[in-house]
């Protein structure tokens, strides 16, 4: 049976990093499907973002300004979710930062390494630790963790981010195996190159080459945050209960592409990117 458009009505979803980019697009899609939202972010813009979402979709949206890796702040945040809504159905571990400098392993400052692992690994772990007991109480849960191309491919100069995004897949598998009997699924979503505000700024500054990544991507374009949000929302649906432990690419084919172009000709000759 096809899901109703309001398939998440009555469900409560926590989205970390929900003030911007993929997290905001995900929050928008979950709200459109009827979910009550809890957005966790460090951004001071979060209350305004939450108010706009609540207005647009006529759902409750609770903004929590907190660091996902701060276990005390997050324990208080999840306690508020339990007190105000009495349940938790969906957790999207999306909050993230990017490699501040592109450097080989031997040049990475340990402070940058620690910051990277703190947000992506400690943050996702802390939120999962707090979410699982609430989900078990309702015998239902959907956990979606954001990994990356760097969780699947070896690329230079992003080692700490690659470690973090590979580690997230390990957490996903453990949660899937532990959660199955309690109605809890856990999956990872693997975005390719997605045009978020953060990456648009880097493209505008000339530190990233738009056409190079579009050309390397089989579908010939960058992704939109909504491309990723659709997959996350699909995995959050009650009807997705047999999908667990997976890593779902939303990358336009980036990760399955080999490197035999010299032999088969250019990938996008005569095609428009976009
Ligand atoms: P973004 O920078 O647009 O949004 C990330 C949000 O997370 C921001 O609002 C930021 O304030 C918040 N955040 C950062 N650290 C936090 C913390 N400690 N606690 C709470 N909130 C925090 O990023 P995005 O591009 O939308 O990326 C979202 C996720 O997707 C990240 O995990 C990222 O690694 C992953 N990803 C993005 C891309 C891409 O191309 N944009 C590709 C692959 C994976």
């Amino acid at each position: 049976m096809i899901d109703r458009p309001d398939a998440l009505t009555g469900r409560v979803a926590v989205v970390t990093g929900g003030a911007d980019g993929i997290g905001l697009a995900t929050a928008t899609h979950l709200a459109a499907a009827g979910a009550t939202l809890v957005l966790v972010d460090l951004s001071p813009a979060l209350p305004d973002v939450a108010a706009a979402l609540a207005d647009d979709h006529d759902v409750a949206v609770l903004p929590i300004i907190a660091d996902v890796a701060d276990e005390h702040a997050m324990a208080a945040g999840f306690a508020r979710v339990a007190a105000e809504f009495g349940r938790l159905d969906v957790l999207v571990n999306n909050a993230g930062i990017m490699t501040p400098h592109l450097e080989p392993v031997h040049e990475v400052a340990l402070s940058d390494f620690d910051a990277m692992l703190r947000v992506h690994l400690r943050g996702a772990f802390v939120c999962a630790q707090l979410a699982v007991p609430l989900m078990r109480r309702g015998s239902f849960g959907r956990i979606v963790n954001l990994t990356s191309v760097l969780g699947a491919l070896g690329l230079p100069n992003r080692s700490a981010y690659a470690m973090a995004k590979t580690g997230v897949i390990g957490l996903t598998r453990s949660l899937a195996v532990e959660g199955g009997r309690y109605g809890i699924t856990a999956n990872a979503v693997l975005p390719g190159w997605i045009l978020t505000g953060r990456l648009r700024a880097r493209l505008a500054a000339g530190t990233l080459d738009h056409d190079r990544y579009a050309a390397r991507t089989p579908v010939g374009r960058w992704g939109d945050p909504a491309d990723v949000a659709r997959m996350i929302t699909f995995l959050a649906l009650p009807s997705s209960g047999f999908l667990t432990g997976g890593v779902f690419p939303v990358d336009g084919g980036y990760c399955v592409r080999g490197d035999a172009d010299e032999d088969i000709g250019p990938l996008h000759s005569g095609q428009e990117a976009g």
Side-chain angles (χ1 to χ4, degrees):
M1 196 173 68
I2 305 287
D3 290 290
R4 291 164 51 102
D6 60 351
L8 291 173
T9 297
R11 305 284 182 179
V12 177
V14 170
V15 180
T16 71
D20 207 349
I22 293 169
L24 176 55
T26 300
T28 305
H29 279 68
L30 294 173
T36 295
L37 289 177
V38 181
L39 305 183
V40 181
D41 205 295
L42 285 168
S43 167
L46 187 66
D48 290 342
V49 169
L53 270 176
D55 274 359
D56 289 350
H57 297 282
D58 197 21
V59 294
V61 185
L62 173 66
I64 296 178
I65 297 186
D67 174 357
V68 284
D70 177 342
E71 67 269 37
H72 305 295
M74 293 315 300
F78 278 78
R80 236 182 119 187
V81 173
E84 290 196 22
F85 305 118
R87 61 187 298 147
L88 176 62
D89 302 283
V90 178
L91 168 65
V92 183
N93 274 320
N94 164 82
I97 55 174
M98 287 191 75
T99 306
H101 321 285
L102 297 181
E103 297 155 328
V105 168
H106 64 282
E107 289 178 13
V108 174
L110 281 177
S111 55
D112 289 342
F113 173 86
D114 288 342
M116 187 61 69
L117 268 58
R118 180 179 154 80
V119 181
H120 292 275
L121 290 184
R122 193 174 209 280
F125 194 76
V126 164
C127 290
Q129 281 195 313
L130 292 163
V132 165
L134 288 174
M135 291 176 168
R136 279 175 64 159
R137 215 193 276 170
S139 301
F140 179 91
R142 300 280 180 264
I143 300 174
V144 182
N145 299 322
L146 272 289
T147 180
S148 155
V149 165
L150 274 296
L153 301 179
L155 298 175
N157 301 328
R158 295 169 176 91
S159 51
Y161 185 78
M163 280 178 75
K165 288 309 195 184
T166 308
V168 158
I169 296 174
L171 172 63
T172 305
R173 292 187 180 131
S174 299
L175 287 168
V177 173
E178 290 175 9
R181 77 181 66 178
Y182 303 104
I184 300 170
T185 65
N187 290 287
V189 167
L190 187 162
W193 296 91
I194 309 298
L195 270 177
T196 54
R198 174 175 68 152
L199 288 187
R200 278 183 200 280
R202 286 181 57 188
L203 289 167
T207 55
L208 209 56
D209 181 344
H210 177 279
D211 293 351
R212 187 170 145 227
Y213 289 102
R216 169 70 175 74
T217 302
V219 303
R221 68 169 174 88
W222 284 59
D224 187 85
D227 290 318
V228 186
R230 270 190 289 276
M231 172 63 86
I232 295 171
T233 304
F234 176 70
L235 292 169
L237 291 172
S239 57
S240 295
F242 205 59
L243 298 173
T244 196
V247 179
F248 293 87
V250 183
D251 68 348
Y254 191 93
C255 286
V256 295
R257 181 183 171 187
D259 274 327
D261 291 341
E262 313 84 281
D263 304 322
I264 60 173
L267 196 61
H268 296 296
S269 74
Q271 280 183 347
E272 263 186 45

